[in-house]
Every structure is written in C-alpha cells, then in structure tokens.
Amino acid sequence: MRMLSRIFTLIAFAAAMSFAQFAPEPQVADIKLMMDSKTEQPMKMDFSKHLSGISDPGIMFSHFANRPLLIYYFSPKCPHCQKHFPEIQNLIKEYEAKGLTGIAIGLNGGIKKNDIRLFIDQYHAVIPVFQDTDSEFGPAYGTGYIPVVYLVQKDGTFYRYETLNEANMNHLRATLNTILKKQ
C-alpha cells in the first residue's frame, strides 16, 4: 500500500509539473512611446494646455509636470469609461506610494461640467478631475476612442493605451514597475 501511495504521489507531481510548463505566459502588449510624426522623436506632454479643474477649480494641469503621471481621458457618459474608471483609480492608488500621481480628463464635445461632477460623485473619484474645455488635449494626442490612458514619464515622454485589455494593462504595470523603480 505504501508503495502504491508513493507511485501515485510521483505521478501526481509529474502531472502537475508538466501542466505548469504548458500554462500560458501572460500576454504583454508591445506599446512604444508616442512619437512626433514631424520630428520622429518621442512626443512630450504639453502641460501648458488649458484644462478646467472640475474637482478643484484652482488646480492647474501644469502642477503635474516633471513627475510620473497616469492620465485617464474619458467621457462621463461612455459605458466603457464608467466600467474602467474604478480599475484605473485603484491602479493609481496601488502605485501612489511609489511616486505615481493620477488625474482624469473629461472630454468636451457637448459634455457639461455637471455631467463630470455627477461622474465624480457616482464613481467616488479621489483623483483630480479636469475637463478639456477648449478641446485641445484630445486632438493633440491622437484620441479618437475613449477611454484612453496616458502614462507620462518625468521627462514628459509618454505611452498611450487605446484599449484597456489584459495585454495593455500588463504592459502598463510592467512599465510602471520599471519607471518607478528608477526614482
């Protein structure tokens, strides 16, 4: 009986090891820094762009320059934006102690400030929220679909995540781990 138990244990161990070898690696997207098509150099975030502070009317976009920054560009009426906001806000909280700051920017396009205020209340936004009132931010950084996440490095260069699928989120986390380790 003892021999049978050992054989069974050995077979179970071998099966577990072979299964572990076939477990798929997590997918990681190949996202590159945003490039300026004219200069073919990495684009830099322009912190002088006018954005209206919604959660804090006195805050300016320029306050967030020269630090790692995650930007969530959204519409308060977009179901995908509503779905992903809690996940992004939790990600910001998770990396905050390592030096990450996060903000959200609501697009203009007929969206009223009150719509954004309701979004802030409904989704318990604790990060600063702005509005792209002059519709300058979105067109400057190639937005077409929302939500979009930008990961801005201290030097102003940035990554743009057009979809928040698993592969992109894995890249975002890996990049956060890399850039926040350097600090």
Side-chain angles (χ1 to χ4, degrees), residues 127-141:
I127 60 174
V129 180
F130 294 87
Q131 184 175 24
D132 186 12
T133 48
D134 296 336
S135 298
E136 289 180 358
F137 185 91
Y141 303 116

Side-chain angles (χ1 to χ4, degrees), residues 39-59:
T39 66
E40 296 186 19
Q41 295 295 312
M43 246 178 145
K44 291 198 174 192
M45 188 65 58
D46 179 2
F47 286 95
S48 69
K49 292 208 175 295
H50 173 72
L51 299 174
S52 297
I54 302 296
S55 56
D56 178 354
I59 199 161

Side-chain angles (χ1 to χ4, degrees), residues 23-177:
E25 290 287 320
Q27 289 186 335
V28 178
D30 184 24
I31 308 283
K32 305 287 186 212
L33 286 171
M34 284 288 294
M35 300 298 281
D36 184 319
S37 59
K38 294 175 188 165
T39 66
E40 296 186 19
Q41 295 295 312
M43 246 178 145
K44 291 198 174 192
M45 188 65 58
D46 179 2
F47 286 95
S48 69
K49 292 208 175 295
H50 173 72
L51 299 174
S52 297
I54 302 296
S55 56
D56 178 354
I59 199 161
M60 298 175 66
F61 186 43
S62 61
H63 291 152
F64 299 95
N66 304 315
R67 65 174 92 176
L69 176 68
L70 191 132
I71 301 171
Y72 186 69
Y73 191 74
F74 75 104
S75 168
K77 296 182 178 189
C78 162
H80 296 290
C81 301
Q82 295 166 355
K83 174 186 170 198
H84 290 291
F85 182 77
E87 176 184 12
I88 294 300
Q89 187 162 258
N90 287 337
L91 181 75
I92 291 166
K93 285 181 195 173
E94 179 183 337
Y95 284 92
E96 199 170 44
K98 295 179 180 179
L100 180 68
T101 302
I103 65 170
I105 301 173
L107 56 81
N108 189 11
I111 303 295
K112 296 179 175 83
K113 288 183 182 187
N114 250 7
D115 294 329
I116 296 175
R117 286 186 188 104
L118 289 170
F119 182 91
I120 290 169
D121 290 344
Q122 183 176 0
Y123 292 94
H124 310 287
V126 294
I127 60 174
V129 180
F130 294 87
Q131 184 175 24
D132 186 12
T133 48
D134 296 336
S135 298
E136 289 180 358
F137 185 91
Y141 303 116
T143 61
Y145 297 100
I146 48 174
V148 177
V149 171
Y150 299 91
L151 177 55
V152 186
Q153 301 182 100
K154 278 178 144 180
D155 67 357
T157 59
F158 61 94
Y159 298 89
R160 181 176 186 266
Y161 299 88
E162 297 176 14
T163 56
L164 301 179
N165 60 25
E166 182 181 0
N168 284 359
M169 292 303 288
N170 288 341
H171 181 278
L172 176 59
R173 284 181 174 282
T175 306
L176 280 168
N177 289 332

